[in-house]
Amino acid sequence: MTTIPDILRAMQEGDKRALARAITMVENELEGYEELLCSIHFPKTAPVVGITGPPGAGKSTLISRLIQLALAEGKKVGVVAVDPSSPYTQGSLLGDRLRMSEHFTSDDVFIRSLATRGALGGLSAKSIEVTDVMRAFGFDLLILETVGVGQSEVEIAGLADLCVLVLVPEAGDEVQTLKSGIMEIADIFVVNKSDRDGADLFVKNLLNLVESRHALDTPVIKTSAVDGKGIAELHEAILRLSTSNTRDKKPRLMTEKAYRLLAEWKMKGVSRIVLEEALRVAEKKKDFNIYRFIRSYG
């Protein structure tokens, strides 16, 4: 696998090592990554399912259960799990892979973790490109798990065909304050850890919210990922909605992807490290103004 055509050919033959190499090239912008991106094609129209929600909601455990069901149906599953990075070292624990460790040995599952590297909105700056490389591999289902930053985590709506918002009963008192932002992007609401007190009341509040939004076709599903309860219902809802949502959202998805890729391309020459050093010098001046600095930078 020394050339881009070799890597792409190996990917088409199901070589996961070739897939891993392609992702590494794209994520780190190694030589040939642009040629690779411009050469990929998608043999299947597998839906990209975004799983989002606050930290501790049980997203990774839920995904692990969904993988089990997909494997039982003979499907191949790809997972992109985005983990938070340190704002100082840009390093990441990549802990979501640990919670899905039972699937590491499966030939039909590929899990790749990405660090946010300072990106906001719950996704990595390379989420679009890496997801497209995964799509080119020919999975039957692609799951994109966000870092779980909270209400502002709305970028996933522009990258995923279907958005699943995972919440827990303790969030029940916050429904009124969550009406905007992240609550508006959900195609499916999941109340996980539904064995806890307040789950039924929370579900009722979410149903009222769905009705107020005139989105009565938005499912509200109770699950307990640890026990496996409600996972089959969630799986069925994802299968039912993914096709129609993919068709309805396609123009907006393409626009959002193009916008983000253009923004990334325009910022290509900006180094965070070089910018920090320039700011250290500029801040020492008495008349320092960050807006003047930005206008004159570069």
Side-chain angles (χ1 to χ4, degrees):
M1 293 186 295
T2 57
T3 67
I4 299 302
D6 289 339
I7 294 174
L8 293 174
R9 191 177 306 110
M11 284 175 56
Q12 291 170 6
E13 295 172 354
D15 188 339
K16 291 200 288 188
R17 290 177 301 174
L19 173 60
R21 181 171 181 179
I23 291 174
T24 298
M25 288 179 62
V26 169
E27 186 179 9
N28 296 288
E29 298 187 354
L30 302 181
E31 183 179 356
Y33 87 97
E34 290 180 321
E35 178 188 350
L36 188 150
L37 288 172
C38 290
S39 302
I40 58 177
H41 71 281
F42 309 118
K44 296 182 180 179
T45 55
V48 178
V49 179
I51 308 288
T52 188
K59 297 187 295 296
S60 297
T61 307
L62 201 69
I63 291 170
S64 184
R65 292 288 189 178
L66 289 171
I67 292 173
Q68 288 177 351
L69 290 179
L71 291 177
E73 296 177 345
K75 295 180 178 179
K76 293 184 178 181
V77 185
V79 179
V80 180
V82 183
D83 278 310
S85 304
S86 164
Y88 303 105
T89 66
Q90 301 300 307
S92 176
L93 178 62
L94 304 180
D96 285 327
R97 294 188 67 177
L98 301 178
R99 289 185 282 274
M100 302 179 206
S101 59
E102 63 183 292
H103 301 297
F104 283 176
T105 58
S106 174
D107 292 334
D108 294 324
V109 179
F110 183 89
I111 302 172
R112 182 69 176 225
S113 294
L114 297 178
T116 56
R117 298 186 179 183
L120 300 177
L123 296 176
S124 164
K126 286 295 180 180
S127 295
I128 296 176
E129 294 97 320
V130 170
T131 300
D132 276 343
V133 172
M134 297 273 279
R135 288 176 60 214
F137 190 76
F139 290 106
D140 299 298
L141 174 65
L142 271 174
I143 298 175
L144 176 60
E145 180 190 5
T146 70
V147 72
V149 296
Q151 187 176 348
S152 64
E153 196 173 2
V154 297
E155 284 187 355
I156 195 171
L159 303 183
D161 300 310
L162 186 76
C163 294
V164 179
L165 175 58
V166 183
L167 300 167
V168 289
E170 289 80 3
D173 294 336
E174 302 173 10
V175 172
Q176 294 304 316
T177 60
L178 290 174
K179 281 189 176 180
S180 60
I182 194 171
M183 296 293 284
E184 296 177 346
I185 70 170
D187 298 300
I188 300 174
F189 288 106
V190 172
V191 179
N192 195 30
K193 305 181 182 180
S194 59
D195 54 324
R196 294 183 178 179
D197 292 340
D200 290 337
L201 178 60
F202 188 27
V203 169
K204 181 180 178 181
N205 288 338
L206 284 174
L207 288 170
N208 290 335
L209 174 63
V210 167
E211 184 177 357
S212 69
R213 289 170 49 194
H214 305 290
L216 298 178
D217 58 341
T218 304
V220 179
I221 301 171
K222 290 171 62 176
T223 64
S224 178
V226 173
D227 300 329
K229 296 179 180 178
I231 306 300
E233 184 182 354
L234 173 59
H235 181 62
E236 291 173 4
I238 289 174
L239 293 178
R240 185 176 72 253
L241 294 176
S242 58
T243 303
S244 60
N245 275 44
T246 299
R247 186 164 51 246
D248 295 341
K249 293 173 67 174
K250 190 169 183 179
R252 182 158 57 91
L253 282 168
M254 283 296 146
T255 302
E256 180 65 20
K257 287 173 70 172
Y259 183 88
R260 289 194 61 194
L261 289 169
L262 280 169
E264 184 180 333
W265 181 73
K266 293 289 187 181
M267 288 288 290
K268 215 173 250 307
V270 180
S271 164
R272 189 182 293 268
I273 296 175
V274 174
L275 178 62
E276 182 178 349
E277 290 302 316
L279 276 168
R280 287 182 188 275
V281 175
E283 279 185 309
K284 295 178 181 178
K285 299 178 181 179
K286 291 184 179 180
D287 63 343
F288 171 75
N289 179 288
I290 192 169
Y291 300 100
R292 287 200 302 269
F293 172 84
I294 293 300
R295 288 176 67 88
S296 62
Y297 184 76

